[in-house]
C-alpha cells in the first residue's frame, strides 16, 4: 500500500534521515495537550525497541540502519537523493553501509554542518559539527544550486571595479583564448588579432549591451555585475546555519530537533515543488514542516509515539498558519 501511494505521488524524490545514535536511555517527555502538560514515559515496547536498536552501540545501530537503507533505496525514485545526518561516532560506519546499498559511485558529498560556535571538551578539541552524507539513487537527480550572500571581503576583492556613471560594481573576465577548441575563433577586435572565447557576432552584442571592458593594452574583458549575481554557491562546509536559539519560535524542546533552515536548504536543493519528500526518523517533524511550507508532499514516520504526536501537532499548526 505504501509503495502504491508513493508511485501515485510521482515517486519518492528525496529522503532525509537523522537516525539518533545512543539516545534511547531516557525518552521521557512532558507533553502539552489542550493547555495541560502531561509527563510521558516510554512504554514497554518502545523501551525494548530502543534497547535492541542502540543497546549494543554501533553494531546494533548499523544493523538496524542497514536493513532500512535497503528498503529506502528500493522506494526511492531513480532520480531521487538521500541525505543521512549523523555525527563523528558513526559517520565512517554509515558511509560504508551507504556505499554497500547505493554504491560508491552514488556518493555525492559529505557535508560538514557547524552546529555550534564552541564546545568545551576537557581532553580533546571541541566537537562542533555534524556530518551529512548525500547520495543519489542513480546517475541523475534533481539539483537546484543554493546560494549565500557574498561577504564584504569577497566583494571588495572580486568586484573591485565600479562603472562610471552607474556606480555598479563588477568584476571582469578575460575574453581572449589560448586555442581554437570549443568554437573559439581568430579575428581582430579593438586592433588586436588573436583567438577569442566568443564569436564576432557575440562580441558585437556584448559591446552594444555595454558589457565590454578594456585593459591598458587594449585587450577586451567581459563585465559581471554584482547586482546580477545570485551570490556564492553553497559549498560542503556549512557555517551559516546556526542551531535553534532557546527563544526561537520553532523551538519545541525536542532533544534531536534540527533548525528549519538546515532542512530548507536540503529540500530546496534536491527537490522541486510537488515532489514527495520523506523522513523515516522524523523526530520533531522538521522535515515535514519545511516540506509543507515549500509546497512539497511529505511522508513522515517514527518509532516513538512522542515523535509522532509532536510532528502531528506541528503540522496542524503549520497548515493553520498557511491558511491564515
Amino acid at each position: 500500500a505504501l509503495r502504491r501511494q508513493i508511485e501515485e505521488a510521482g515517486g519518492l524524490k528525496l529522503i532525509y534521515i537523522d537516525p539518533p545514535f545512543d539516545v534511547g536511555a531516557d525518552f521521557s517527555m512532558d507533553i502539552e495537550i489542550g493547555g495541560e502538560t502531561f509527563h510521558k514515559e516510554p512504554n514497554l515496547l518502545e523501551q525494548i525497541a530502543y534497547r535492541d536498536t542502540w543497546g549494543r552501540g554501533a553494531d546494533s545501530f548499523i544493523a538496524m540502519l542497514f536493513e532500512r537503507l535497503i528498503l529506502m533505496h528500493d522506494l526511492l525514485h531513480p532520480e531521487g537523493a538521500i541525505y543521512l545526518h549523523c555525527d563523528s561516532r558513526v559517520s565512517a560506519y554509515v558511509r560504508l553501509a551507504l556505499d554497500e546499498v547505493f554504491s560508491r559511485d552514488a556518493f555525492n558529498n559529505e557535508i560538514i554542518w557547524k552546529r555550534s560556535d564552541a564546545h568545551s571538551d576537557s581532553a580533546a578539541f571541541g566537537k562542533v559539527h555534524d556530518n551529512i552524507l548525500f547520495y543519489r539513487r542513480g546517475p541523475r537527480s534533481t539539483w537546484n544550486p543554493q546560494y549565500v550572500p557574498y561577504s564584504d571581503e569577497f566583494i571588495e576583492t572580486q568586484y573591485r571595479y565600479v562603472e562610471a556613471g552607474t556606480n555598479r560594481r563588477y568584476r571582469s573576465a578575460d575574453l581572449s583564448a589560448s586555442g581554437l577548441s570549443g568554437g573559439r575563433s581568430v579575428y581582430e577586435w579593438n586592433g588586436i588579432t588573436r583567438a577569442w572565447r566568443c564569436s564576432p557576432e557575440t562580441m558585437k552584442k556584448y559591446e552594444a549591451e555595454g558589457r565590454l571592458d578594456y585593459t591598458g593594452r587594449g585587450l577586451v574583458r567581459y563585465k559581471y555585475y554584482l547586482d546580477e549575481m545570485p551570490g556564492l554557491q553553497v559549498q560542503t562546509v556549512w557555517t551559516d546555519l546556526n542551531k535553534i536559539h532557546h527563544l526561537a519560535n520553532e523551538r519545541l524542546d525536542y532533544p534531536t530537533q534540527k533548525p528549519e533552515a538546515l532542512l530548507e536548504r536540503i529540500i530546496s536543493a534536491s527537490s522541486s515543488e510537488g515532489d514527495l519528500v520523506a523522513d523515516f526518523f522524523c523526530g520533531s517533524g522538521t522535515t515535514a514542516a519545511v516540506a509543507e511550507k515549500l509546497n512539497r508532499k511529505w511522508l513522515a514516520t517514527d518509532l516513538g509515539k512522542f515523535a509522532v504526536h509532536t510532528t502531528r501537532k506541528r503540522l496542524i499548526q503549520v497548515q493553520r498558519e498557511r491558511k491564515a
Side-chain angles (χ1 to χ4, degrees), residues 127-148:
K127 300 177 180 68
V128 298
H129 81 276
D130 281 355
N131 306 69
I132 303 174
L133 301 171
F134 170 24
Y135 280 69
R136 286 189 168 98
R137 171 69 166 80
R140 297 177 55 191
S141 67
T142 300
W143 180 245
N144 306 306
Q146 301 297 295
Y147 299 89
V148 293

Side-chain angles (χ1 to χ4, degrees), residues 27 50 254 282-285 302-312:
F27 248 64
Y50 281 120
Y254 194 92
C282 68
S284 64
D302 201 282
L303 179 65
K305 287 186 177 180
F306 180 69
V308 173
H309 169 82
T310 302
T311 299
R312 178 179 176 274

Side-chain angles (χ1 to χ4, degrees), residues 107-127:
F107 170 72
N108 210 56
N109 286 121
E110 179 181 24
I111 299 162
I112 303 300
W113 173 45
K114 184 184 177 186
R115 52 178 167 76
S116 61
D117 292 329
H119 194 279
S120 297
D121 292 317
S122 59
F125 297 110
K127 300 177 180 68

Side-chain angles (χ1 to χ4, degrees), residues 174-200 203 214 218-221:
D174 190 6
L175 286 177
S176 61
S178 58
L180 299 180
S181 61
R184 300 168 185 175
S185 56
V186 175
Y187 56 91
E188 180 183 340
W189 187 266
N190 196 40
I192 298 176
T193 301
R194 63 180 311 161
W196 304 102
R197 295 180 182 273
C198 58
S199 67
M203 192 74 85
Y214 295 90
L219 289 174
V220 65
R221 299 175 67 86

Side-chain angles (χ1 to χ4, degrees), residues 38 65 69 100 144 240 245 322:
F38 301 88
L65 185 61
L69 286 175
E100 181 69 20
N144 306 306
D240 60 315
H245 190 272
R322 295 192 71 192

Side-chain angles (χ1 to χ4, degrees), residues 3-198:
R3 187 184 303 278
R4 183 172 62 254
Q5 291 175 356
I6 289 175
E7 291 175 353
E8 290 174 353
L12 191 53
K13 288 295 186 67
L14 171 63
I15 297 175
Y16 168 84
I17 57 172
D18 180 18
F21 174 67
D22 195 25
V23 299
D26 182 14
F27 248 64
S28 59
M29 294 286 178
D30 289 329
I31 305 173
E32 183 180 336
I33 303 177
E36 296 186 57
T37 300
F38 301 88
H39 185 74
K40 186 221 180 261
E41 294 287 342
N43 61 37
L44 179 60
L45 290 177
E46 287 175 326
Q47 292 181 42
I48 293 173
Y50 281 120
R51 185 168 63 247
D52 289 345
T53 301
W54 294 284
R56 298 188 305 278
D59 287 347
S60 55
F61 175 78
I62 295 300
M64 175 279 298
L65 185 61
F66 189 82
E67 294 178 355
R68 284 154 180 79
L69 286 175
I70 293 173
L71 178 60
M72 292 179 208
H73 178 273
D74 188 38
L75 292 175
L76 198 58
H77 189 280
E79 295 183 1
I82 182 170
Y83 290 76
L84 196 153
H85 192 143
C86 58
D87 63 20
S88 58
R89 292 174 295 173
V90 295
S91 61
Y93 308 122
V94 168
R95 182 163 178 180
L96 290 175
L98 285 165
D99 282 350
E100 181 69 20
V101 175
F102 284 82
S103 85
R104 294 179 63 183
D105 292 338
F107 170 72
N108 210 56
N109 286 121
E110 179 181 24
I111 299 162
I112 303 300
W113 173 45
K114 184 184 177 186
R115 52 178 167 76
S116 61
D117 292 329
H119 194 279
S120 297
D121 292 317
S122 59
F125 297 110
K127 300 177 180 68
V128 298
H129 81 276
D130 281 355
N131 306 69
I132 303 174
L133 301 171
F134 170 24
Y135 280 69
R136 286 189 168 98
R137 171 69 166 80
R140 297 177 55 191
S141 67
T142 300
W143 180 245
N144 306 306
Q146 301 297 295
Y147 299 89
V148 293
Y150 294 124
S151 67
D152 292 340
E153 180 182 2
F154 184 89
I155 292 173
E156 288 296 327
T157 56
Q158 298 297 319
Y159 289 87
R160 61 183 185 273
Y161 303 112
V162 178
E163 187 177 67
T166 65
N167 290 325
R168 298 175 72 187
R169 278 188 170 271
Y170 69 93
R171 66 180 178 88
S172 64
D174 190 6
L175 286 177
S176 61
S178 58
L180 299 180
S181 61
R184 300 168 185 175
S185 56
V186 175
Y187 56 91
E188 180 183 340
W189 187 266
N190 196 40
I192 298 176
T193 301
R194 63 180 311 161
W196 304 102
R197 295 180 182 273
C198 58

